[in-house]
Coordinates of all heavy atoms in Angstrom, one line a residue:
M1 N -34.3 -22.0 -77.9 CA -34.9 -22.7 -76.8 C -36.4 -22.7 -77.0 O -37.0 -21.6 -77.3 CB -34.5 -21.9 -75.5 CG -35.2 -22.5 -74.3 SD -34.8 -21.6 -72.8 CE -33.1 -22.1 -72.6
S2 N -37.0 -23.8 -76.9 CA -38.4 -23.9 -77.1 C -39.2 -23.3 -75.9 O -38.6 -23.1 -74.8 CB -38.8 -25.4 -77.3 OG -38.7 -26.1 -76.0
W3 N -40.5 -23.1 -76.1 CA -41.3 -22.5 -75.0 C -41.4 -23.5 -73.8 O -41.5 -23.0 -72.7 CB -42.6 -22.1 -75.5 CG -43.5 -23.2 -76.0 CD1 -43.6 -23.7 -77.2 CD2 -44.5 -23.9 -75.1 NE1 -44.5 -24.7 -77.2 CE2 -45.1 -24.8 -75.9 CE3 -44.9 -23.7 -73.8 CZ2 -46.1 -25.7 -75.4 CZ3 -45.8 -24.6 -73.3 CH2 -46.4 -25.5 -74.1
V4 N -41.3 -24.8 -74.1 CA -41.4 -25.8 -73.0 C -40.2 -25.7 -72.1 O -40.2 -25.6 -70.9 CB -41.6 -27.2 -73.6 CG1 -41.5 -28.2 -72.5 CG2 -42.9 -27.3 -74.4
S5 N -39.0 -25.6 -72.8 CA -37.7 -25.4 -72.0 C -37.7 -24.1 -71.3 O -37.3 -24.0 -70.1 CB -36.5 -25.5 -72.9 OG -36.5 -26.7 -73.6
F6 N -38.2 -23.0 -71.9 CA -38.2 -21.7 -71.2 C -39.2 -21.8 -70.0 O -38.8 -21.2 -69.0 CB -38.7 -20.7 -72.3 CG -38.5 -19.3 -71.7 CD1 -37.3 -18.6 -71.8 CD2 -39.6 -18.6 -71.2 CE1 -37.2 -17.3 -71.3 CE2 -39.5 -17.3 -70.7 CZ -38.3 -16.7 -70.8
T7 N -40.3 -22.4 -70.2 CA -41.2 -22.5 -69.0 C -40.7 -23.3 -67.9 O -40.8 -23.0 -66.7 CB -42.6 -23.1 -69.5 OG1 -43.1 -22.4 -70.6 CG2 -43.6 -23.2 -68.4
A8 N -40.0 -24.4 -68.2 CA -39.3 -25.3 -67.2 C -38.3 -24.5 -66.5 O -38.1 -24.5 -65.3 CB -38.8 -26.5 -67.8
L9 N -37.5 -23.7 -67.2 CA -36.4 -22.9 -66.6 C -37.0 -21.8 -65.8 O -36.5 -21.5 -64.7 CB -35.5 -22.3 -67.7 CG -34.3 -21.5 -67.3 CD1 -33.4 -22.4 -66.4 CD2 -33.6 -21.0 -68.4
F10 N -38.2 -21.2 -66.2 CA -38.9 -20.2 -65.4 C -39.3 -20.7 -64.1 O -39.0 -20.1 -63.0 CB -40.1 -19.7 -66.2 CG -40.8 -18.6 -65.5 CD1 -40.5 -17.3 -65.6 CD2 -41.9 -18.9 -64.6 CE1 -41.1 -16.3 -65.0 CE2 -42.5 -17.9 -63.9 CZ -42.2 -16.6 -64.1
F11 N -39.9 -21.9 -64.1 CA -40.4 -22.5 -62.8 C -39.2 -22.9 -61.9 O -39.3 -22.8 -60.7 CB -41.4 -23.6 -63.0 CG -42.7 -23.1 -63.4 CD1 -43.2 -23.3 -64.7 CD2 -43.5 -22.3 -62.6 CE1 -44.5 -22.8 -65.1 CE2 -44.7 -21.8 -62.9 CZ -45.2 -22.1 -64.2
A12 N -38.2 -23.4 -62.5 CA -37.0 -23.8 -61.6 C -36.4 -22.5 -61.0 O -36.0 -22.5 -59.8 CB -36.0 -24.5 -62.5
T13 N -36.3 -21.5 -61.8 CA -35.7 -20.2 -61.3 C -36.7 -19.6 -60.3 O -36.3 -19.0 -59.3 CB -35.5 -19.2 -62.5 OG1 -34.7 -19.9 -63.4 CG2 -34.9 -18.0 -62.0
W14 N -38.0 -19.8 -60.5 CA -39.0 -19.2 -59.6 C -38.8 -19.8 -58.2 O -38.9 -19.1 -57.2 CB -40.4 -19.5 -60.2 CG -41.5 -18.8 -59.4 CD1 -42.0 -17.6 -59.7 CD2 -42.2 -19.3 -58.3 NE1 -43.0 -17.3 -58.8 CE2 -43.1 -18.3 -57.9 CE3 -42.2 -20.4 -57.5 CZ2 -44.0 -18.4 -56.8 CZ3 -43.0 -20.6 -56.4 CH2 -43.9 -19.6 -56.1
W15 N -38.6 -21.1 -58.1 CA -38.4 -21.7 -56.8 C -37.2 -21.3 -56.1 O -37.2 -21.1 -54.9 CB -38.4 -23.3 -56.9 CG -39.8 -23.8 -57.0 CD1 -40.4 -24.3 -58.1 CD2 -40.8 -23.9 -56.0 NE1 -41.7 -24.7 -57.8 CE2 -42.0 -24.4 -56.5 CE3 -40.8 -23.6 -54.6 CZ2 -43.1 -24.7 -55.7 CZ3 -41.9 -23.8 -53.8 CH2 -43.0 -24.4 -54.4
V16 N -36.1 -21.1 -56.8 CA -34.9 -20.6 -56.2 C -35.0 -19.2 -55.7 O -34.6 -18.8 -54.6 CB -33.7 -20.7 -57.2 CG1 -32.5 -20.0 -56.7 CG2 -33.4 -22.2 -57.6
V17 N -35.7 -18.4 -56.5 CA -35.9 -17.0 -56.2 C -36.9 -16.9 -55.0 O -36.7 -16.0 -54.1 CB -36.4 -16.1 -57.4 CG1 -36.8 -14.7 -57.0 CG2 -35.3 -16.1 -58.4
L18 N -37.8 -17.8 -54.9 CA -38.8 -17.8 -53.8 C -38.0 -17.9 -52.5 O -38.3 -17.1 -51.5 CB -39.8 -18.9 -53.9 CG -40.7 -19.1 -52.7 CD1 -41.7 -17.9 -52.6 CD2 -41.5 -20.4 -52.8
F19 N -37.1 -18.8 -52.4 CA -36.4 -19.0 -51.1 C -35.4 -17.8 -50.8 O -35.1 -17.6 -49.7 CB -35.6 -20.3 -51.1 CG -36.5 -21.5 -51.0 CD1 -36.7 -22.4 -52.1 CD2 -37.3 -21.7 -49.9 CE1 -37.6 -23.4 -52.0 CE2 -38.2 -22.7 -49.8 CZ -38.3 -23.6 -50.8
A20 N -35.0 -17.1 -51.9 CA -34.2 -15.9 -51.6 C -35.1 -14.7 -51.2 O -34.6 -13.9 -50.4 CB -33.5 -15.5 -52.9
V21 N -36.3 -14.7 -51.6 CA -37.2 -13.5 -51.3 C -38.0 -13.7 -50.0 O -38.4 -12.7 -49.4 CB -38.2 -13.4 -52.5 CG1 -39.4 -12.4 -52.2 CG2 -37.5 -12.9 -53.7
L22 N -38.2 -14.9 -49.6 CA -39.0 -15.2 -48.4 C -38.6 -14.4 -47.1 O -39.5 -13.9 -46.4 CB -39.0 -16.7 -48.0 CG -40.1 -17.5 -48.6 CD1 -39.8 -19.0 -48.3 CD2 -41.4 -17.1 -48.2
P23 N -37.4 -14.2 -46.8 CA -37.1 -13.5 -45.5 C -37.3 -12.0 -45.6 O -37.3 -11.3 -44.5 CB -35.6 -13.8 -45.3 CG -35.1 -14.7 -46.3 CD -36.2 -14.8 -47.3
F24 N -37.5 -11.4 -46.8 CA -37.6 -10.0 -46.9 C -39.0 -9.5 -46.3 O -40.0 -10.1 -46.6 CB -37.5 -9.5 -48.3 CG -36.1 -9.7 -48.8 CD1 -35.9 -10.4 -50.0 CD2 -35.0 -9.2 -48.2 CE1 -34.6 -10.6 -50.5 CE2 -33.7 -9.3 -48.6 CZ -33.5 -10.1 -49.8
S25 N -38.9 -8.4 -45.5 CA -40.1 -7.7 -44.9 C -41.0 -8.6 -44.1 O -42.2 -8.5 -44.1 CB -40.9 -7.0 -46.0 OG -41.7 -7.9 -46.8
V26 N -40.4 -9.6 -43.4 CA -41.2 -10.4 -42.5 C -41.1 -9.8 -41.1 O -40.1 -9.5 -40.6 CB -40.6 -11.8 -42.4 CG1 -41.3 -12.7 -41.4 CG2 -40.7 -12.5 -43.8
R27 N -42.3 -9.5 -40.6 CA -42.4 -9.0 -39.2 C -42.5 -10.2 -38.3 O -43.4 -11.1 -38.4 CB -43.6 -8.1 -39.0 CG -43.4 -6.8 -39.9 CD -44.4 -5.7 -39.5 NE -44.5 -5.5 -38.1 CZ -43.7 -4.7 -37.3 NH1 -42.7 -4.1 -37.9 NH2 -43.9 -4.5 -36.1
T28 N -41.7 -10.3 -37.3 CA -41.7 -11.4 -36.3 C -42.6 -11.0 -35.1 O -43.0 -9.8 -34.9 CB -40.3 -11.7 -35.8 OG1 -39.8 -10.6 -35.1 CG2 -39.4 -12.1 -36.9
Q29 N -43.0 -12.0 -34.4 CA -43.8 -11.7 -33.2 C -43.0 -10.9 -32.2 O -43.6 -10.1 -31.4 CB -44.2 -13.1 -32.5 CG -45.1 -13.9 -33.4 CD -45.5 -15.2 -32.8 OE1 -45.2 -15.4 -31.6 NE2 -46.1 -16.1 -33.5
D30 N -41.7 -11.1 -32.1 CA -40.9 -10.3 -31.2 C -40.9 -8.8 -31.6 O -40.8 -7.9 -30.8 CB -39.5 -10.8 -31.2 CG -38.7 -10.3 -30.0 OD1 -39.3 -10.1 -28.9 OD2 -37.4 -10.1 -30.2
D31 N -40.9 -8.5 -32.9 CA -41.0 -7.1 -33.4 C -42.2 -6.4 -32.9 O -42.2 -5.2 -32.5 CB -41.0 -7.0 -34.9 CG -39.7 -7.5 -35.5 OD1 -38.7 -7.5 -34.8 OD2 -39.7 -7.8 -36.7
D32 N -43.4 -7.1 -32.8 CA -44.6 -6.6 -32.3 C -44.8 -6.7 -30.8 O -45.8 -6.3 -30.2 CB -45.8 -7.2 -33.0 CG -45.9 -6.9 -34.5 OD1 -45.3 -5.8 -34.9 OD2 -46.5 -7.6 -35.2
H33 N -43.8 -7.3 -30.1 CA -43.9 -7.6 -28.7 C -45.2 -8.3 -28.3 O -45.8 -8.0 -27.3 CB -43.8 -6.3 -27.9 CG -42.6 -5.5 -28.2 ND1 -41.3 -5.9 -27.9 CD2 -42.4 -4.3 -28.9 CE1 -40.4 -5.1 -28.3 NE2 -41.0 -4.1 -28.9
D34 N -45.6 -9.3 -29.1 CA -46.8 -10.1 -28.9 C -46.5 -11.5 -29.3 O -46.9 -12.0 -30.3 CB -47.9 -9.6 -29.7 CG -49.2 -10.3 -29.4 OD1 -49.4 -10.8 -28.3 OD2 -50.1 -10.4 -30.3
V35 N -45.7 -12.2 -28.4 CA -45.3 -13.6 -28.7 C -46.4 -14.6 -28.2 O -46.8 -14.5 -27.0 CB -43.9 -13.9 -28.0 CG1 -43.5 -15.4 -28.3 CG2 -42.9 -13.0 -28.5
T36 N -46.9 -15.4 -29.1 CA -47.9 -16.4 -28.7 C -47.3 -17.5 -27.9 O -46.2 -18.0 -28.3 CB -48.5 -16.9 -30.0 OG1 -49.1 -15.8 -30.8 CG2 -49.7 -17.9 -29.7
L37 N -47.9 -17.9 -26.9 CA -47.4 -19.0 -26.0 C -47.2 -20.2 -26.8 O -48.1 -20.7 -27.6 CB -48.4 -19.2 -24.9 CG -48.0 -20.2 -23.8 CD1 -46.7 -19.7 -23.1 CD2 -49.1 -20.5 -22.8
G38 N -46.0 -20.8 -26.7 CA -45.7 -22.0 -27.4 C -45.0 -21.8 -28.7 O -44.7 -22.8 -29.4
T39 N -44.7 -20.6 -29.1 CA -44.0 -20.3 -30.4 C -42.7 -19.6 -30.0 O -42.6 -19.0 -28.9 CB -44.8 -19.5 -31.3 OG1 -45.1 -18.2 -30.7 CG2 -46.1 -20.1 -31.7
V40 N -41.8 -19.6 -30.9 CA -40.5 -18.9 -30.8 C -40.7 -17.4 -31.1 O -41.6 -17.1 -31.9 CB -39.4 -19.5 -31.6 CG1 -39.1 -20.9 -31.2 CG2 -39.8 -19.5 -33.1
P41 N -40.0 -16.5 -30.5 CA -40.2 -15.1 -30.8 C -39.9 -14.7 -32.2 O -40.4 -13.7 -32.7 CB -39.2 -14.4 -29.8 CG -38.9 -15.4 -28.7 CD -39.1 -16.7 -29.4
S42 N -39.1 -15.5 -32.9 CA -38.7 -15.2 -34.3 C -39.7 -15.7 -35.3 O -39.5 -15.6 -36.5 CB -37.3 -15.8 -34.6 OG -37.3 -17.2 -34.5
A43 N -40.8 -16.3 -34.8 CA -41.9 -16.8 -35.8 C -42.5 -15.6 -36.5 O -42.7 -14.5 -35.9 CB -42.9 -17.6 -35.0
P44 N -42.9 -15.7 -37.7 CA -43.6 -14.7 -38.4 C -44.9 -14.2 -37.7 O -45.6 -15.0 -37.1 CB -43.9 -15.2 -39.8 CG -43.0 -16.4 -40.0 CD -42.8 -16.9 -38.6
R45 N -45.2 -12.9 -37.8 CA -46.3 -12.4 -37.1 C -47.6 -12.8 -37.8 O -48.6 -13.1 -37.2 CB -46.2 -10.8 -37.1 CG -47.4 -10.2 -36.4 CD -47.4 -10.5 -34.9 NE -48.7 -10.0 -34.4 CZ -49.4 -10.8 -33.6 NH1 -49.1 -12.0 -33.3 NH2 -50.5 -10.4 -33.1
G46 N -47.7 -12.8 -39.1 CA -48.9 -13.1 -39.8 C -48.5 -13.7 -41.2 O -47.4 -13.8 -41.5
P47 N -49.5 -14.0 -42.0 CA -49.3 -14.5 -43.3 C -48.7 -13.5 -44.2 O -49.1 -12.3 -44.2 CB -50.6 -15.0 -43.8 CG -51.6 -14.2 -43.0 CD -51.0 -13.9 -41.7
H48 N -47.7 -13.9 -44.9 CA -47.0 -13.0 -45.9 C -46.7 -13.7 -47.2 O -45.9 -13.2 -48.0 CB -45.7 -12.4 -45.3 CG -44.6 -13.4 -45.1 ND1 -44.6 -14.3 -44.0 CD2 -43.5 -13.7 -45.8 CE1 -43.6 -15.0 -44.1 NE2 -42.9 -14.7 -45.2
M49 N -47.3 -14.9 -47.4 CA -46.9 -15.7 -48.6 C -47.4 -15.0 -49.9 O -46.7 -15.1 -50.9 CB -47.5 -17.1 -48.5 CG -46.7 -18.0 -47.6 SD -45.0 -18.1 -48.1 CE -45.1 -18.9 -49.7
L50 N -48.5 -14.3 -49.9 CA -49.0 -13.7 -51.1 C -48.0 -12.6 -51.6 O -47.7 -12.6 -52.8 CB -50.4 -13.1 -50.9 CG -51.0 -12.4 -52.2 CD1 -51.2 -13.5 -53.3 CD2 -52.3 -11.8 -51.8
R51 N -47.5 -11.8 -50.7 CA -46.5 -10.8 -51.1 C -45.3 -11.5 -51.6 O -44.6 -11.0 -52.5 CB -46.2 -9.9 -49.9 CG -47.3 -8.9 -49.6 CD -46.9 -8.0 -48.5 NE -46.8 -8.8 -47.3 CZ -46.3 -8.4 -46.1 NH1 -45.7 -7.2 -46.0 NH2 -46.3 -9.2 -45.1
A52 N -44.9 -12.6 -50.9 CA -43.6 -13.3 -51.3 C -43.8 -13.9 -52.7 O -42.9 -13.8 -53.6 CB -43.3 -14.4 -50.3
V53 N -45.0 -14.4 -53.0 CA -45.2 -15.0 -54.3 C -45.2 -13.9 -55.4 O -44.7 -14.1 -56.5 CB -46.6 -15.8 -54.3 CG1 -47.0 -16.1 -55.7 CG2 -46.4 -17.0 -53.5
I54 N -45.8 -12.8 -55.1 CA -45.9 -11.7 -56.1 C -44.5 -11.2 -56.4 O -44.1 -11.0 -57.5 CB -46.8 -10.6 -55.6 CG1 -48.3 -11.0 -55.6 CG2 -46.6 -9.3 -56.5 CD1 -49.2 -10.1 -55.0
R55 N -43.7 -10.9 -55.3 CA -42.3 -10.5 -55.5 C -41.5 -11.5 -56.2 O -40.6 -11.1 -57.1 CB -41.7 -10.2 -54.1 CG -42.2 -9.0 -53.4 CD -41.6 -8.8 -52.1 NE -42.2 -7.6 -51.4 CZ -42.1 -7.5 -50.1 NH1 -41.6 -8.4 -49.4 NH2 -42.7 -6.4 -49.6
T56 N -41.7 -12.8 -55.9 CA -40.9 -13.8 -56.6 C -41.2 -13.8 -58.1 O -40.3 -14.0 -58.9 CB -41.3 -15.2 -56.0 OG1 -40.9 -15.1 -54.6 CG2 -40.5 -16.3 -56.7
T57 N -42.5 -13.7 -58.4 CA -42.9 -13.7 -59.8 C -42.3 -12.5 -60.6 O -41.8 -12.7 -61.7 CB -44.4 -13.8 -59.9 OG1 -44.9 -14.9 -59.2 CG2 -44.9 -13.9 -61.4
I58 N -42.3 -11.4 -60.0 CA -41.8 -10.2 -60.6 C -40.3 -10.3 -60.8 O -39.7 -10.0 -61.9 CB -42.1 -8.9 -59.8 CG1 -43.6 -8.6 -59.9 CG2 -41.3 -7.7 -60.3 CD1 -44.1 -7.6 -58.9
A59 N -39.6 -10.8 -59.7 CA -38.1 -10.9 -59.8 C -37.7 -12.0 -60.9 O -36.8 -11.8 -61.6 CB -37.5 -11.3 -58.5
T60 N -38.5 -13.1 -60.9 CA -38.2 -14.1 -61.9 C -38.5 -13.6 -63.3 O -37.7 -14.0 -64.2 CB -39.0 -15.4 -61.6 OG1 -38.7 -15.8 -60.2 CG2 -38.6 -16.5 -62.5
A61 N -39.5 -12.9 -63.5 CA -39.8 -12.4 -64.8 C -38.7 -11.4 -65.3 O -38.3 -11.5 -66.4 CB -41.2 -11.6 -64.8
I62 N -38.2 -10.6 -64.4 CA -37.1 -9.7 -64.7 C -35.8 -10.6 -65.1 O -35.2 -10.3 -66.1 CB -36.8 -8.8 -63.6 CG1 -37.9 -7.8 -63.4 CG2 -35.4 -8.0 -63.8 CD1 -37.8 -6.9 -62.2
L63 N -35.5 -11.6 -64.3 CA -34.3 -12.4 -64.6 C -34.5 -13.1 -65.9 O -33.6 -13.2 -66.7 CB -34.1 -13.4 -63.4 CG -33.5 -12.8 -62.1 CD1 -33.5 -13.9 -61.1 CD2 -32.2 -12.3 -62.4
M64 N -35.7 -13.7 -66.1 CA -35.9 -14.4 -67.4 C -35.9 -13.5 -68.6 O -35.5 -13.9 -69.7 CB -37.2 -15.2 -67.3 CG -37.1 -16.4 -66.3 SD -35.7 -17.5 -66.5 CE -36.2 -18.3 -68.0
G65 N -36.4 -12.2 -68.4 CA -36.3 -11.2 -69.4 C -34.9 -10.9 -69.8 O -34.5 -10.8 -71.0
I66 N -34.0 -10.8 -68.8 CA -32.6 -10.6 -69.0 C -32.0 -11.8 -69.8 O -31.2 -11.6 -70.7 CB -31.8 -10.3 -67.7 CG1 -32.2 -9.0 -67.1 CG2 -30.3 -10.4 -67.9 CD1 -31.8 -8.7 -65.7
F67 N -32.3 -13.0 -69.3 CA -31.9 -14.2 -70.0 C -32.3 -14.3 -71.4 O -31.6 -14.6 -72.3 CB -32.4 -15.4 -69.2 CG -32.0 -16.8 -69.8 CD1 -30.7 -17.2 -69.8 CD2 -32.9 -17.5 -70.5 CE1 -30.3 -18.4 -70.4 CE2 -32.6 -18.7 -71.1 CZ -31.3 -19.2 -71.1
Y68 N -33.6 -13.9 -71.7 CA -34.1 -14.0 -73.0 C -33.4 -12.9 -73.9 O -33.1 -13.2 -75.0 CB -35.6 -13.7 -73.0 CG -36.3 -13.8 -74.3 CD1 -36.6 -15.0 -74.9 CD2 -36.5 -12.7 -75.1 CE1 -37.2 -15.1 -76.1 CE2 -37.1 -12.7 -76.4 CZ -37.5 -14.0 -76.8 OH -38.0 -14.1 -78.1
G69 N -33.2 -11.8 -73.3 CA -32.4 -10.7 -74.1 C -31.0 -11.1 -74.4 O -30.6 -10.8 -75.5
L70 N -30.4 -11.8 -73.5 CA -29.0 -12.3 -73.8 C -29.0 -13.4 -74.8 O -28.1 -13.4 -75.7 CB -28.3 -12.7 -72.5 CG -27.9 -11.7 -71.5 CD1 -27.4 -12.3 -70.2 CD2 -26.8 -10.8 -72.1
T71 N -29.9 -14.3 -74.7 CA -29.9 -15.4 -75.6 C -30.5 -15.1 -77.0 O -29.9 -15.5 -78.0 CB -30.7 -16.6 -75.1 OG1 -32.0 -16.2 -74.7 CG2 -30.0 -17.2 -73.8
H72 N -31.5 -14.4 -77.1 CA -32.2 -14.1 -78.4 C -31.7 -12.8 -79.0 O -31.6 -12.6 -80.2 CB -33.7 -14.1 -78.3 CG -34.2 -15.5 -78.1 ND1 -34.3 -16.2 -76.9 CD2 -34.6 -16.4 -79.1 CE1 -34.8 -17.4 -77.1 NE2 -35.0 -17.6 -78.4
G73 N -31.5 -11.8 -78.1 CA -31.1 -10.5 -78.6 C -29.7 -10.4 -79.0 O -29.3 -9.9 -80.0
L74 N -28.8 -10.9 -78.1 CA -27.3 -10.8 -78.3 C -26.7 -12.1 -78.9 O -25.6 -12.1 -79.2 CB -26.6 -10.4 -77.0 CG -27.0 -9.0 -76.4 CD1 -26.3 -8.8 -75.1 CD2 -26.7 -7.9 -77.4
G75 N -27.5 -13.1 -78.9 CA -27.0 -14.4 -79.5 C -26.2 -15.2 -78.6 O -25.6 -16.2 -79.1
Y76 N -26.1 -14.9 -77.3 CA -25.4 -15.8 -76.4 C -26.2 -17.1 -76.1 O -27.4 -17.1 -76.2 CB -25.1 -15.1 -75.1 CG -24.1 -14.0 -75.2 CD1 -24.4 -12.7 -75.0 CD2 -22.8 -14.3 -75.4 CE1 -23.5 -11.7 -75.1 CE2 -21.8 -13.3 -75.5 CZ -22.2 -12.0 -75.3 OH -21.3 -11.0 -75.4
S77 N -25.5 -18.1 -75.7 CA -26.1 -19.4 -75.3 C -25.4 -19.9 -74.1 O -24.4 -19.4 -73.7 CB -26.1 -20.4 -76.5 OG -24.8 -20.9 -76.6
L78 N -26.0 -21.0 -73.5 CA -25.3 -21.6 -72.4 C -24.0 -22.2 -72.7 O -23.1 -22.3 -71.9 CB -26.2 -22.6 -71.8 CG -27.5 -22.1 -71.2 CD1 -28.4 -23.2 -70.6 CD2 -27.3 -21.1 -70.1
N79 N -23.8 -22.5 -74.0 CA -22.5 -23.0 -74.4 C -21.4 -22.0 -74.5 O -20.2 -22.3 -74.6 CB -22.6 -23.7 -75.8 CG -23.5 -24.9 -75.8 OD1 -23.6 -25.6 -74.8 ND2 -24.2 -25.2 -76.9
D80 N -21.7 -20.7 -74.5 CA -20.8 -19.6 -74.5 C -20.2 -19.3 -73.1 O -19.2 -18.6 -73.1 CB -21.4 -18.3 -75.1 CG -21.8 -18.5 -76.5 OD1 -21.0 -19.2 -77.3 OD2 -22.8 -17.9 -77.0
I81 N -20.7 -19.8 -72.1 CA -20.3 -19.5 -70.7 C -18.8 -19.8 -70.5 O -18.0 -19.0 -70.0 CB -21.2 -20.1 -69.7 CG1 -22.6 -19.5 -69.7 CG2 -20.6 -20.0 -68.3 CD1 -23.6 -20.1 -68.8
P82 N -18.3 -21.0 -70.9 CA -16.9 -21.3 -70.7 C -16.0 -20.3 -71.5 O -14.8 -20.1 -71.2 CB -16.7 -22.7 -71.2 CG -18.0 -23.3 -71.2 CD -19.0 -22.2 -71.4
H83 N -16.5 -19.7 -72.6 CA -15.6 -18.8 -73.4 C -15.6 -17.4 -73.0 O -14.9 -16.6 -73.5 CB -16.1 -18.9 -74.9 CG -16.1 -20.3 -75.4 ND1 -14.9 -21.1 -75.6 CD2 -17.1 -21.2 -75.7 CE1 -15.2 -22.3 -76.0 NE2 -16.5 -22.4 -76.1
I84 N -16.5 -17.0 -72.0 CA -16.6 -15.6 -71.6 C -15.4 -15.3 -70.7 O -14.8 -14.3 -70.7 CB -17.9 -15.4 -70.9 CG1 -19.1 -15.4 -71.9 CG2 -17.9 -14.0 -70.2 CD1 -20.5 -15.4 -71.2
V85 N -15.1 -16.3 -69.8 CA -14.0 -16.1 -68.8 C -12.7 -16.6 -69.5 O -12.7 -17.7 -70.0 CB -14.2 -16.9 -67.5 CG1 -13.1 -16.7 -66.6 CG2 -15.5 -16.4 -66.9
P86 N -11.6 -15.7 -69.5 CA -10.4 -16.2 -70.1 C -9.8 -17.3 -69.4 O -9.9 -17.5 -68.2 CB -9.5 -14.9 -70.1 CG -10.1 -14.0 -69.1 CD -11.6 -14.4 -69.0
D87 N -9.0 -18.2 -70.1 CA -8.4 -19.3 -69.5 C -7.0 -18.9 -69.0 O -6.1 -18.6 -69.8 CB -8.2 -20.4 -70.6 CG -7.7 -21.7 -70.0 OD1 -7.6 -21.8 -68.7 OD2 -7.3 -22.6 -70.8
F88 N -6.9 -18.7 -67.7 CA -5.6 -18.3 -67.1 C -4.6 -19.4 -66.9 O -3.5 -19.2 -66.5 CB -5.9 -17.6 -65.7 CG -6.7 -16.4 -65.9 CD1 -8.0 -16.3 -65.4 CD2 -6.2 -15.2 -66.5 CE1 -8.8 -15.2 -65.5 CE2 -6.9 -14.1 -66.6 CZ -8.2 -14.0 -66.1
G89 N -5.0 -20.7 -67.2 CA -4.1 -21.8 -67.0 C -3.1 -21.9 -68.1 O -2.1 -22.6 -67.9
Q90 N -3.3 -21.4 -69.3 CA -2.4 -21.5 -70.4 C -1.4 -20.4 -70.3 O -1.6 -19.3 -69.9 CB -3.2 -21.4 -71.7 CG -4.1 -22.5 -71.9 CD -4.9 -22.4 -73.2 OE1 -4.8 -21.4 -73.9 NE2 -5.6 -23.4 -73.6
T91 N -0.2 -20.8 -70.7 CA 0.9 -19.8 -70.7 C 0.9 -19.1 -72.1 O 0.5 -19.7 -73.1 CB 2.3 -20.4 -70.5 OG1 2.5 -21.5 -71.5 CG2 2.4 -21.1 -69.1
P92 N 1.2 -17.8 -72.2 CA 1.2 -17.2 -73.5 C 2.3 -17.7 -74.4 O 3.3 -18.1 -74.0 CB 1.4 -15.7 -73.1 CG 2.0 -15.7 -71.8 CD 1.6 -17.0 -71.1
A93 N 2.0 -17.7 -75.7 CA 2.9 -18.2 -76.7 C 4.0 -17.1 -76.8 O 3.8 -15.9 -76.8 CB 2.2 -18.4 -78.0
K94 N 5.3 -17.7 -77.0 CA 6.4 -16.7 -77.2 C 6.9 -16.8 -78.6 O 6.9 -17.6 -79.4 CB 7.5 -17.2 -76.2 CG 7.1 -16.9 -74.8 CD 8.3 -17.3 -73.9 CE 7.8 -17.0 -72.5 NZ 8.9 -17.2 -71.5

């Protein structure tokens, strides 16, 4: 895999991980018992995007490190995925 493909995969994975990481450690206005007039109680209390971006980058780097280890270290590729799971649809030969 070229570095361009790896970079594209990194950023696609980064966006998916961002939406998975966003809800973690968010303090709502209701948690602080200080709801601003005109907002819902479940609205975030303050900005937390920098922490979410840092966590997303770290988690994506770990995932891409695992992917790199599997593809370059162990020699697996995306074409090997169908062969990892056994085919249960075939009957055994007699």
Side-chain angles (χ1 to χ4, degrees):
M1 175 180 292
S2 71
W3 67 272
V4 175
S5 299
F6 189 81
T7 305
L9 186 61
F10 181 89
F11 284 114
T13 306
W14 189 91
W15 278 105
V16 171
V17 172
L18 173 67
F19 289 113
V21 168
L22 268 177
F24 294 124
S25 74
V26 174
R27 293 193 50 83
T28 63
Q29 294 178 13
D30 194 35
D31 292 340
D32 291 340
H33 304 291
D34 183 29
V35 179
T36 304
L37 185 63
T39 62
V40 293
S42 61
R45 179 70 191 128
H48 68 281
M49 281 305 295
L50 181 62
R51 286 184 292 169
V53 166
I54 291 171
R55 288 179 183 156
T56 300
T57 305
I58 292 170
T60 304
I62 291 170
L63 287 173
M64 292 306 291
I66 292 170
F67 176 74
Y68 184 82
L70 287 173
T71 56
H72 286 87
L74 297 178
Y76 288 112
S77 71
L78 296 178
N79 294 331
D80 293 328
I81 292 174
H83 305 291
I84 293 173
V85 179
D87 187 12
F88 294 111
Q90 295 179 349
T91 58
K94 293 184 180 183

